[in-house]
Amino acid sequence: MYDEDIVPFQVEIGRDELSDLRRRLGETRWPTQIPGVGWARGVPVDYLRELAGHWAERFDWTVWEKRLNSYPQYLTTIDGTRIHFLHIRSRHPDAIPLVLLHGWPGSVLEFLDVIEPLTDPGDDGPVFDLIIPSHPNFGFSGPAPDIGWDSTRTARAYAELMRRLGYPRYGVQGGDFGAFIAPDLGRIDSGSVIGVHVNAATMGFIPYGPVPDQEVETLTELERIRLLRLGRYLSDGSGYFQIQGTRPHTLGFALADSPAGQLAWIVEKFEAWTGTDGTLDDRVNRDHMLANISVYWFTNTGSSSAQLYYESLHTRNLPTPSRTPTAVANFAEDVAIRRYAEQVNHIVRWTDYDSGGHFAAMQTPDILAADIRAFFAGLS
């Protein structure tokens, strides 16, 4: 039975919590490292010490809290767990309801820079009412009380959320794990979902297992680049996935007790997944990244968010063929390949970009918003 109540919510991180973060960062015991290896073996200690100092002394959480609280937020309970979400209505009466779904290590703060371009772009074309949930076990939704929250169960919860909000027809967009959940929502609620838009897509959009040499020979140059990037990720970049997918509780002690540990665990992914041009600070706003990491710290959801990896490795709910119109925005660091995506998705739009990275809503918000709008304009 569902608890149908939807209640207003505001983020309020107290002074004691802010002081505790600064204290813990100041008391960090730093490791010794082999000199001169850069990022090859993980996060360099000198880099993290400087970033942790910025987080403690110069980063202002209250600025981001105020920005988040400038948008309407709500809580509801679905399938026994709390769901936090932003619900931002456009001033345009013909706005399309659109669910925006973050990934890991993301949060609802990922989408702050696409809210205005989607709700009030100031030109002709589709505009949107936005529904931006924190997934179960993530952020302000908090830890779920039971197991089994894979992408399919999460998608069912969001179908129920949209029913409660009174939206009989809507679109959905997601990146990273959001690109797991969004297509599942298109399958589960196909009568209501008008279209699915994804970026940073993997499961259901990449080959299953090794690709035979004779098949590799038929790939385009760009497809081969993406296949090589996928191979490098699987061989040298997926250790975090294996840990979170097999022993999330063991990892959780470090993430819950040490903000420097939580910082290192997430910032490594921002460094690896945002590209190679310039420094990390050149590719993503430092304070925006720290605000996103702060959500994990203040809500103590480092360990619980890792459960989604465990559920994904142990689920029996694999992608099945879908007829919901689907668009893929492939940014420079993405690995999706169309011929494999078409095996289980109804691809109607595919765009390859030579810029941007995994965190498109933070790195290239205008490009992402324009691609979303172009896709849904084509569906009307």
Side-chain angles (χ1 to χ4, degrees):
M1 179 176 293
Y2 292 120
D3 177 357
E4 299 277 345
D5 290 344
I6 296 175
V7 298
F9 175 78
Q10 290 267 282
V11 177
E12 296 181 3
I13 304 302
R15 290 185 178 181
D16 289 348
E17 293 172 275
L18 294 170
S19 296
D20 179 65
L21 170 60
R22 296 189 184 101
R23 178 189 63 79
R24 287 172 181 265
L25 288 169
E27 295 176 356
T28 300
R29 186 172 73 164
W30 298 100
T32 57
Q33 291 186 343
I34 298 171
V37 297
W39 288 82
R41 303 190 180 206
V43 183
V45 64
D46 290 344
Y47 172 84
L48 203 75
R49 289 188 76 152
E50 190 278 326
L51 185 63
H54 181 90
W55 195 13
E57 304 299 334
R58 293 178 293 280
F59 171 77
D60 188 352
W61 164 256
T62 63
V63 170
W64 296 89
E65 181 177 276
K66 183 177 180 180
R67 187 175 175 187
L68 188 58
N69 285 338
S70 70
Y71 299 110
Q73 299 171 76
Y74 302 90
L75 299 176
T76 193
T77 301
I78 301 177
D79 195 8
T81 198
R82 184 169 90 164
I83 303 292
H84 160 263
F85 63 97
L86 285 71
H87 187 193
I88 305 159
R89 296 183 184 271
S90 171
R91 63 184 177 87
H92 299 274
D94 58 347
I96 301 168
L98 179 66
V99 185
L100 295 180
L101 302 174
H102 67 80
W104 183 92
S107 71
V108 295
L109 270 73
E110 268 190 77
F111 297 111
L112 289 177
D113 291 340
V114 299
I115 290 174
E116 299 305 324
L118 291 175
T119 59
D120 193 13
D123 57 20
D124 293 334
V127 295
F128 303 90
D129 287 347
L130 299 180
I131 301 88
I132 312 176
S134 299
H135 302 318
N137 284 314
F138 282 75
F140 302 109
S141 288
D146 58 353
I147 63 173
W149 283 98
D150 62 3
S151 62
T152 303
R153 186 177 178 187
T154 303
R156 290 196 185 101
Y158 294 155
E160 168 61 16
L161 175 62
M162 296 304 283
R163 184 196 68 78
R164 290 187 191 182
L165 294 175
Y167 290 125
R169 299 279 285 166
Y170 60 92
V172 58
Q173 195 283 331
D176 187 81
F177 261 115
F180 284 49
I181 301 167
D184 279 352
L185 188 50
R187 296 179 177 96
I188 288 165
D189 203 15
S190 59
S192 297
V193 175
I194 62 174
V196 171
H197 184 285
V198 297
N199 67 286
T202 53
M203 180 63 69
F205 296 84
I206 57 176
Y208 292 94
V211 178
D213 290 342
Q214 60 269 30
E215 189 172 321
V216 171
E217 293 176 0
T218 70
L219 299 179
T220 67
E221 181 180 358
L222 181 57
E223 288 174 334
R224 292 186 188 190
I225 290 171
R226 298 201 185 282
L227 186 63
L228 286 171
R229 183 178 296 125
L230 176 61
R232 286 195 298 269
Y233 164 78
L234 292 173
S235 64
D236 192 50
S238 62
Y240 77 98
F241 195 119
Q242 294 299 319
I243 294 172
Q244 295 195 144
T246 57
R247 298 295 184 270
H249 283 171
T250 303
L251 171 68
F253 291 101
L255 301 184
D257 190 59
S258 170
Q262 179 69 87
L263 180 64
W265 191 244
I266 290 181
V267 79
E268 181 193 276
K269 299 308 152 199
F270 273 85
E271 165 64 24
W273 297 346
T274 53
T276 57
D277 294 336
T279 67
L280 178 55
D281 285 337
D282 296 325
R283 301 192 295 269
V284 67
N285 180 280
R286 170 179 282 205
D287 281 0
H288 197 168
M289 179 181 70
L290 288 173
N292 176 75
I293 296 170
S294 295
V295 170
Y296 284 84
W297 177 256
F298 289 132
T299 60
N300 195 13
T301 51
S303 177
S304 61
S305 63
Q307 303 303 317
L308 186 52
Y309 285 82
Y310 188 95
E311 302 296 351
S312 296
L313 279 186
H314 296 83
T315 188
R316 295 183 179 180
N317 297 315
L318 298 177
T320 56
S322 171
R323 297 309 304 163
T324 302
T326 300
V328 176
N330 241 10
F331 290 89
E333 299 303 310
D334 291 342
V335 296
I337 298 174
R338 182 165 188 161
R339 65 180 69 192
Y340 303 111
E342 289 178 335
Q343 293 176 0
V344 291
N345 299 283
H346 178 39
I347 304 296
V348 300
R349 176 183 169 89
W350 188 283
T351 310
D352 289 304
Y353 293 99
D354 58 7
S355 63
H358 187 87
F359 302 94
M362 296 173 66
Q363 294 183 257
T364 50
D366 291 342
I367 296 175
L368 178 63
D371 200 277
I372 293 169
R373 296 182 70 218
F375 169 56
F376 284 99
L379 296 181
S380 59

